[in-house]
Amino acid sequence: MSRAVYRPLAGSSKGPMSVSAIRIAAWESVLLKNQPRGGTLPATYQRLLAAHAAMAAFEDQAQGTPKLDDMWQRQQKKTFTAWANSHLRKASLHIDNVTEDFSDGKLLLKLLEIIGEDTLPKPEKGKMRIHKVQNVRSAFEYIKEKGIKLVSIGPEEIVDGNEKMILGMLWTLILRFEIQDISLDAMSAKDALLLWCQRKTEPYDNVNITNFHMSWKDGLAFNALIHRHRPDLLKYDDLEKSNSRENFTQAFSLADKHLDIPPMLDIDDMVDCVKPDERSVMTQVAAYYKAFASSNKAETAARKIAHVLETNREHERLIQEYETMASDLLAWIEAKVAEFSSREPIQGVDTCSGVLNEKNTFRSTEYPAKLAEKGALEGHYSTLQTKLRLSGRPGYQPSEGKLISDIQAAWASVSTADVDHQDFVVAELNRNRLADQKAESFNAKADAHEAWTAGKDTEMAADDYSSCNLAGVVALKKKHE
């Protein structure tokens, strides 16, 4: 949807005006008419005019109206100048205007020496254009050696004071030397810086950082960062979200005085603008990150130590679990081998059948369960060795008799003992069956004999031989044979 644009009155040379520009012109006319003679506008009216002016600038920027004092450009110019001075002061140098003070290339070379921690060739002493271009070209060659690409920016544009190109060059340097090295959880530098801010300010009321513009507009986020690292410097709970200007003033003053973080953002720009410039805010926030780098490193080191300790505990836990699993399995194998090695005679077919049923249950239930334990033990051992190798630690050497090869040899022994015991029980079953058959045969014959001898006592006690002659006695004898 296109924005409504009003045309200026005839004779105007300012081009099309935005709705806000028309509105502010009307406000100025009304307010000036009501201004007391020789007096000034009330503060409320002044802030109202400033807000409408900011809206007009924002709408002009959205329309693409080419103005050198666009809001983002003015903010970046102030911030990048402050950033450059924060480094140049180490060499007792200072700039006032990035458009003019970098044009001869001398201070640009010095800035690169400081932020790159290198020694660059001495600049040309001449003041002619050719000398300035050569100095800037030397700076560009160093930038290129650092792997930094300056897209569509040439030395001549810096010498000629092309403000947009100079700001673009400075932003590229800020990205490379201030922001690029910020890393967290394999994120991009910008996302890592944003996540760092979110983690640091999470416990604070009225601070919800989701970007590098509107989330910083009330000044509370800067105070929260300071309080998180230096709670002795301020009382965060005393701050009010509505007091943006006071919040910025306190944060920047404390940071400059106690933390050696120079203010790089203009408080008026942050409070009055519709949307703060993202690059400017990132530059200031990166300075806070670097100032707290030592604590960041301490936190990182603490996290690494905690990770190492946790890894060691995990390794110890896995080792202990292996030892326990191996001991339990070997104890079971030993008990089973002892049980199956017993050759005590088994009495009775039913007893033998009961033992065989128990062995069937063993083979269908207990044996597969222990076989699964053996597989889990071997998998556990493999996982343990892999984790130790990935952690750069030497491999694990189990206790004597608990090597995987020892487990496998013991397992083979229980299988052999089971088969041998099965054969023994079957042999015992056959022996008991044969014994039962022989007992049955014996009992049958004994019963027959007992039946035959039944009533023979009376017959044998009778005196039927006293009256017999010799032939009769012989006959009775043969009868009893």
Side-chain angles (χ1 to χ4, degrees):
M1 181 176 178
S2 59
R3 187 186 299 275
V5 177
Y6 288 87
R7 296 293 177 184
L9 296 175
S12 173
S13 61
K14 294 183 179 179
M17 298 176 65
S18 65
V19 175
S20 293
I22 296 295
R23 189 183 299 117
I24 193 172
W27 269 101
E28 286 176 343
S29 176
V30 173
L31 294 175
L32 290 174
K33 287 180 181 180
N34 292 278
Q35 178 179 347
R37 182 183 300 274
T40 58
L41 287 174
T44 302
Y45 289 168
Q46 293 180 12
R47 286 196 295 270
L48 186 60
L49 281 174
H52 281 289
M55 178 64 76
F58 182 73
E59 290 185 351
D60 287 340
Q61 181 178 346
Q63 294 178 23
T65 306
K67 289 187 175 182
L68 292 178
D69 61 342
D70 283 340
M71 186 181 303
W72 65 268
Q73 195 164 328
R74 285 188 286 109
Q75 290 184 46
Q76 287 185 16
K77 186 176 181 180
K78 295 176 184 178
T79 300
F80 295 174
T81 299
W83 171 79
N85 283 326
S86 71
H87 292 287
L88 290 172
R89 65 180 180 177
K90 298 173 184 177
S92 300
L93 297 172
H94 182 84
I95 63 170
D96 296 311
N97 190 321
V98 292
T99 305
E100 300 174 358
D101 295 343
F102 284 138
S103 62
D104 62 2
K106 295 179 180 179
L107 288 177
L108 179 57
L109 284 169
K110 178 56 68 174
L111 176 64
L112 291 173
E113 275 192 351
I114 296 171
I115 62 177
E117 298 180 349
D118 284 325
T119 301
L120 274 64
K122 292 184 178 180
E124 297 287 338
K125 295 182 179 180
K127 297 183 179 180
M128 298 176 63
R129 177 180 175 82
I130 188 173
H131 299 131
K132 297 178 180 180
V133 171
Q134 180 57 42
N135 289 336
V136 177
R137 182 172 288 111
S138 298
F140 277 24
E141 289 175 356
Y142 174 77
I143 293 173
K144 185 178 180 180
E145 290 176 1
K146 288 291 185 179
I148 306 172
K149 293 183 179 180
L150 295 176
V151 181
S152 303
I153 303 177
E156 292 78 8
E157 290 164 319
I158 307 301
V159 174
D160 293 337
N162 187 322
E163 186 166 277
K164 287 187 177 180
M165 294 300 177
I166 292 174
L167 293 177
M169 174 194 68
L170 291 175
W171 173 242
T172 302
L173 295 179
I174 292 171
L175 279 177
R176 169 60 180 82
F177 292 100
E178 304 289 352
I179 299 177
Q180 179 177 305
D181 293 337
I182 300 174
S183 62
L184 191 65
D185 298 339
M187 293 181 171
S188 66
K190 178 181 177 181
D191 291 339
L193 183 60
L194 184 64
L195 180 60
W196 177 79
C197 295
Q198 290 170 342
R199 288 179 175 178
K200 293 297 182 181
T201 60
E202 183 179 5
Y204 293 88
D205 294 335
N206 298 320
V207 178
N208 181 25
I209 299 178
T210 59
N211 51 56
F212 285 108
H213 37 81
M214 300 304 293
S215 297
W216 302 82
K217 201 172 183 328
D218 55 21
L220 289 178
F222 288 106
N223 282 280
L225 287 177
I226 295 173
H227 186 268
R228 184 61 183 270
H229 295 88
R230 289 289 305 275
D232 57 303
L233 294 180
L234 61 94
K235 294 182 179 180
Y236 180 84
D237 293 338
D238 292 345
L239 301 177
E240 295 291 340
K241 186 177 180 67
S242 58
N243 296 333
S244 301
R245 193 177 303 276
E246 290 80 359
N247 295 339
F248 278 114
T249 301
Q250 173 176 274
F252 292 168
S253 175
L254 291 175
D256 188 23
K257 181 178 180 181
H258 298 282
L259 304 174
D260 197 29
I261 304 174
M264 301 179 189
L265 296 173
D266 186 278
I267 296 178
D268 291 334
D269 288 340
M270 292 296 295
V271 173
D272 298 333
C273 69
V274 177
K275 178 182 178 182
D277 175 61
E278 182 179 68
R279 293 180 176 181
S280 299
V281 175
M282 284 182 66
T283 302
Q284 180 72 83
V285 174
Y288 278 70
Y289 178 89
K290 293 229 168 181
F292 299 130
S294 58
S295 61
N296 295 335
K297 291 179 180 178
E299 290 180 5
T300 301
R303 285 196 299 270
K304 288 182 178 179
I305 293 173
H307 176 70
V308 171
L309 292 175
E310 181 61 27
T311 301
N312 289 339
R313 281 196 292 265
E314 176 69 7
H315 293 162
E316 293 299 325
R317 183 184 65 80
L318 292 174
I319 290 173
Q320 185 58 45
E321 286 182 358
Y322 176 85
E323 291 285 334
T324 301
M325 292 169 67
S327 297
D328 292 345
L329 185 58
L330 288 171
W332 175 85
I333 291 174
E334 183 179 358
K336 283 299 174 183
V337 169
E339 177 185 339
F340 294 156
S341 298
S342 174
R343 294 296 183 264
E344 290 290 331
I346 304 175
Q347 302 301 330
V349 174
D350 291 341
T351 304
C352 290
S353 298
V355 173
L356 289 176
N357 288 334
E358 290 176 0
K359 291 193 70 66
N360 289 335
T361 302
F362 165 78
R363 291 183 172 183
S364 63
T365 304
E366 187 174 2
Y367 184 89
K370 292 301 178 179
L371 183 61
E373 286 186 21
K374 174 177 173 289
L377 177 65
E378 292 172 348
H380 189 90
Y381 178 82
S382 178
T383 299
L384 171 59
Q385 297 292 25
T386 299
K387 289 190 174 184
L388 290 172
R389 184 176 66 255
L390 293 177
S391 300
R393 295 186 59 184
Y396 164 63
Q397 185 71 18
S399 303
E400 184 177 356
K402 295 181 182 178
L403 293 170
I404 292 297
S405 57
D406 297 329
I407 303 294
Q408 292 171 342
W411 188 262
S413 69
V414 77
S415 298
T416 301
D418 175 47
V419 172
D420 292 344
H421 189 251
Q422 176 83 7
D423 294 341
F424 167 73
V425 175
V426 170
E428 286 294 289
L429 176 63
N430 292 333
R431 181 183 65 78
N432 279 278
R433 283 176 177 173
L434 180 59
D436 287 349
Q437 290 175 0
K438 290 182 177 181
E440 184 178 355
S441 176
F442 174 82
N443 289 334
K445 291 180 179 181
D447 290 342
H449 282 291
E450 287 179 356
W452 178 79
T453 59
K456 294 296 183 180
D457 292 344
T458 303
E459 184 180 347
M460 295 299 293
D463 186 11
D464 55 353
Y465 55 83
S466 299
S467 59
C468 293
N469 56 19
L470 179 61
V473 173
V474 172
L476 288 173
K477 178 183 177 183
K478 288 184 177 179
K479 180 181 177 181
H480 291 289
E481 288 181 352

